[in-house]
Amino acid sequence: MKNNSILYILLIVGIVPATYLFSITLLFLYLFITDRNIGFSEIIMIFCFLCGICGYIGLITTLKGLHKTKHIQKSIFLTLGLIGFVIFVNYSGMNNFWKWVLYFEEPDEWLIIMLPLIVSGIFLVLISNDFIKQRKKL
């Protein structure tokens, strides 16, 4: 039970900044969709935003049952969120982003952006391990 409490705290620590990023994503998604000049780059960005929304949904659905239920659904949502982030960072031309991540230059911004990703990664590993354990039992 103590282990579950730690996992719930970790999940909530990831959801709080993710909620902020989710609201910004909704705003930018609206702006991109209502833009009359939608080209290839805008479609890529809209795809990234939709993947980010899926990642947020993955974190929220993980609240129910943590990593022990709905393995495939949660894995898909969390993976889409991570994929959307990677595509967004690489496509939007943030040249110094990876240096910024590795050197932890602005801790407050770093935590807001990276905590949801780290928590998603941790829960993806936990979900995968639990899924494999359940499959071995069968």
Side-chain angles (χ1 to χ4, degrees):
M1 189 65 176
K2 183 179 181 182
N3 190 23
N4 282 347
S5 299
I6 293 170
L7 290 176
Y8 276 114
I9 290 169
L10 177 66
L11 186 58
I12 290 169
V13 164
I15 287 175
V16 169
T19 303
Y20 171 71
L21 295 173
F22 175 71
S23 62
I24 292 172
T25 300
L26 289 178
L27 174 67
F28 279 106
L29 182 62
Y30 172 76
L31 293 174
F32 272 81
I33 289 175
T34 58
D35 187 17
R36 295 195 188 272
N37 300 325
I38 294 183
F40 181 72
S41 61
E42 285 81 12
I43 292 172
I44 295 291
M45 296 308 282
I46 289 170
F47 174 75
C48 292
F49 296 151
L50 293 174
C51 285
I53 290 169
C54 287
Y56 183 72
I57 291 169
L59 285 173
I60 295 297
T61 58
T62 305
L63 279 171
K64 185 174 182 184
L66 287 174
H67 59 284
K68 305 244 183 232
T69 61
K70 298 183 181 181
H71 297 108
I72 295 173
Q73 176 190 2
K74 291 175 184 177
S75 296
I76 290 171
F77 280 131
L78 292 173
T79 302
L80 281 172
L82 294 174
I83 289 171
F85 171 76
V86 170
I87 293 172
F88 176 78
V89 167
N90 289 315
Y91 191 76
S92 65
M94 297 177 147
N95 296 334
N96 295 324
F97 179 78
W98 295 112
K99 184 179 108 176
W100 175 81
V101 167
L102 295 175
Y103 291 113
F104 200 74
E105 291 176 353
E106 296 157 340
D108 52 340
E109 291 178 20
W110 193 94
L111 289 172
I112 289 172
I113 293 172
M114 297 306 292
L115 265 178
L117 299 169
I118 293 168
V119 171
S120 294
I122 290 170
F123 275 96
L124 267 173
V125 169
L126 291 173
I127 289 167
S128 300
N129 286 341
D130 195 59
F131 183 72
I132 291 168
K133 284 179 188 176
Q134 284 186 2
R135 290 291 178 193
K136 284 184 179 180
K137 288 181 182 178
L138 298 176

